């Protein structure tokens, strides 16, 4: 199937309706198009979207591509536009390639809000809510430097070239890692959101650089694959890994020592704030053009603390 449809089963429930004072949008539908299906980051975001939409009397439908790829996300946008929802909340999988389909959506009179990732062109979306990924990438560099005693070779696994989150995390990391004179940066390799590809990147890097000391894996699937690659080489825990996101699998990885630090985002809050901005633009108010959300870097020590627990993505 090309599409994944439906509502997320969120612990807070999906219904509850219509407390808002937004009579003219009540009963309208907004569509959520995440970057990929089956990704706990987007599932948590969807829970935030559903809860906030319900407060405003809005319905939500969700259609996700099977892979994080603009060629799969474009037909979904086209199908969504044909259904004429009041608004679309979307995480564009490519900052450039998703411009034409979203421009068409805008021209069809549909309000667009960006979540998580952004577009290379302004003026299409009325608002954008995302992590500050340059800052998050720099935080990952500092965490990795600390883990390896500021010495040795490090690698970045960038999950998707052309996706703003992947590019910004990589660039934020690269700027920051320059500050550590004892660290040799081996560059970034792209795993195309595939854990298997991340695992083989690790194997190949270890063959050429058996003294590899650290890895920054820029999202969930990069971190999962990195852990597999390191385990296969018997280097798990010896080569330090900073992963991204704090879904159930990532929290397990941290607990087991497959990764030593995680940069956790706030997907639920991105979802609720994006709905609020979309509601503003649907009701003739001025939405905030750009909202940046923060990250928390957690290590194994934090798992028993409130900060660590709070960072975990909930549904
Ligand atoms: O890291 C998130 C998201 O921010 C990124 O754009 C794509 O990957 C994730 O969904 C995690 O898998």
């Amino acid at each position: 199937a090309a599409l994944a449809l439906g509502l997320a089963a969120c612990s807070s429930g999906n219904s509850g309706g219509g407390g808002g004072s937004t009579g003219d949008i009540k009963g309208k539908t907004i569509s959520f198009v995440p970057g990929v299906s089956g990704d706990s980051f987007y599932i948590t975001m969807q829970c935030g979207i559903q809860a906030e939409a319900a407060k405003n009397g809005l319905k939500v439908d969700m259609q996700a591509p099977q892979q994080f790829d603009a060629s799969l996300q474009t037909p979904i946008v086209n199908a969504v536009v044909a259904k004429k929802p009041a608004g679309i909340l979307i995480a564009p999988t490519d900052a450039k390639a998703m411009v034409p389909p979203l421009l068409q959506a805008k021209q069809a009179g549909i309000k667009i809000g960006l979540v998580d990732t952004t577009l290379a062109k302004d003026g299409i979306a009325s608002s954008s809510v995302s992590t500050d990924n340059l800052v998050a990438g720099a935080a990952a560099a500092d965490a990795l430097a600390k883990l390896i005693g500021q010495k040795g070779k490090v690698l970045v696994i960038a999950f998707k070239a052309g996706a703003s989150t992947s590019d910004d995390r990589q660039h934020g990391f690269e700027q920051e890692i320059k500050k550590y004179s004892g660290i040799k940066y081996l560059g970034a390799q792209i795993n195309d959101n595939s854990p298997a590809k991340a695992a083989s990147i690790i194997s190949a890097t270890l063959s050429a650089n058996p003294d590899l000391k650290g890895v920054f894996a820029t999202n969930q699937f990069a971190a999962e694959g990195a852990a597999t690659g390191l385990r296969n080489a018997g280097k798990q825990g010896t080569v330090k890994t900073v992963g991204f996101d704090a879904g159930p699998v990532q929290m397990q990885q941290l607990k087991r020592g497959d990764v030593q630090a995680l940069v956790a985002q706030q997907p639920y809050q991105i979802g609720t704030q994006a709905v609020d901005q979309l509601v503003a633009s649907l009701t003739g108010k001025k939405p905030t053009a750009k909202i940046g959300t923060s990250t928390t870097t957690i290590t194994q020590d934090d798992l028993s603390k409130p900060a660590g627990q709070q960072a975990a993505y909930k549904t």
Side-chain angles (χ1 to χ4, degrees), residues 36 39-42 68 91 116-117 131 133 159 163 165-166 169 193 218-221 244-245 265 313:
V36 67
D39 175 326
S40 68
F41 170 82
Y42 291 121
F68 196 98
D116 179 44
T117 46
T131 293
N133 286 288
F159 76 86
T165 46
S166 182
R169 287 168 202 173
N193 219 33
T218 56
N219 85 344
Q220 300 193 357
F221 302 107
F244 217 91
D245 297 300
Q265 308 188 75
Y313 298 172

Side-chain angles (χ1 to χ4, degrees), residues 163-197:
S164 65
T165 46
S166 182
D167 292 347
D168 285 355
R169 287 168 202 173
Q170 177 189 335
H171 296 144
F173 180 95
E174 287 171 344
Q175 282 307 314
E176 186 72 8
I177 210 73
K178 284 184 191 155
K179 296 184 184 161
Y180 300 95
S181 59
I183 293 180
K184 182 168 175 359
Y185 176 48
L186 297 179
Q189 292 195 47
I190 294 147
N191 74 313
D192 281 320
N193 219 33
S194 149
K197 208 160 169 184

Side-chain angles (χ1 to χ4, degrees), residues 2-314:
L3 305 180
L5 297 162
L7 293 179
C10 309
S11 58
S12 54
N14 301 323
S15 62
S21 55
T22 44
D24 51 341
I25 60 166
K26 240 190 169 125
K28 289 193 174 166
T29 298
I30 60 171
S31 293
F32 174 43
V33 183
V36 67
S37 72
D39 175 326
S40 68
F41 170 82
Y42 291 121
I43 293 168
T44 300
M45 184 185 294
Q46 192 184 340
C47 288
I49 290 172
Q50 286 174 188
E52 198 68 8
K55 280 190 199 159
N56 287 284
L58 288 167
K59 294 184 195 134
V60 180
D61 81 16
M62 191 284 294
Q63 299 196 31
Q66 289 296 314
Q67 285 171 40
F68 196 98
D69 199 295
S71 68
L72 298 179
Q73 198 180 36
T74 298
I76 289 178
V77 170
N78 295 339
V80 164
V81 169
K83 290 200 284 178
K84 299 197 188 313
I88 297 177
L89 292 178
I90 182 166
T93 46
D94 188 290
K96 289 194 185 122
M98 292 311 295
V99 165
L102 288 170
L103 192 57
Q104 274 191 4
K106 186 192 168 169
Q107 284 161 355
I110 301 168
K111 298 283 184 209
I112 295 159
L114 303 181
V115 285
D116 179 44
T117 46
T118 56
L119 289 174
K121 192 171 164 23
D122 287 338
I124 296 174
S126 48
S127 68
S128 161
V129 186
S130 63
T131 293
D132 188 331
N133 286 288
L134 283 167
V135 170
D142 290 333
L144 191 59
K146 192 170 172 204
L147 285 163
I148 64 170
Q150 307 191 6
K151 262 210 308 275
K153 295 179 179 171
V154 301
L155 171 77
V156 169
I157 302 182
F159 76 86
K160 188 87 192 178
S164 65
T165 46
S166 182
D167 292 347
D168 285 355
R169 287 168 202 173
Q170 177 189 335
H171 296 144
F173 180 95
E174 287 171 344
Q175 282 307 314
E176 186 72 8
I177 210 73
K178 284 184 191 155
K179 296 184 184 161
Y180 300 95
S181 59
I183 293 180
K184 182 168 175 359
Y185 176 48
L186 297 179
Q189 292 195 47
I190 294 147
N191 74 313
D192 281 320
N193 219 33
S194 149
K197 208 160 169 184
S200 46
I201 288 170
I202 292 289
S203 310
T205 304
L206 280 171
S207 319
N209 298 276
D211 55 346
L212 178 71
K213 285 286 182 298
V215 178
F216 170 38
T218 56
N219 85 344
Q220 300 193 357
F221 302 107
E224 281 175 41
T228 308
L230 290 173
R231 200 177 314 117
N232 291 345
K235 293 266 192 177
Q236 171 193 13
T238 321
V239 175
K240 307 297 182 197
T241 305
V242 175
F244 217 91
D245 297 300
V249 174
Q250 288 68 51
M251 295 305 280
Q252 266 315 98
Q253 284 190 305
L254 186 59
K255 211 165 162 184
R256 275 203 307 265
D258 279 358
V259 302
Q260 283 66 43
L262 292 174
V263 181
Q265 308 188 75
Q266 300 188 59
Y268 193 94
Q269 288 79 356
I270 292 175
T272 57
Q273 295 194 61
V275 170
D276 290 344
Q277 297 313 315
L278 197 59
V279 166
S281 59
L282 288 171
T283 52
K285 298 189 192 86
K286 199 172 157 30
T288 307
K290 197 170 162 47
I291 296 179
T293 53
S294 62
T295 57
T296 322
T297 306
I298 55 171
T299 61
Q300 224 172 36
D301 289 348
D302 297 313
L303 287 173
S304 54
K305 298 180 193 155
Q309 316 256 307
Q310 264 163 31
Y313 298 172
K314 293 174 193 68

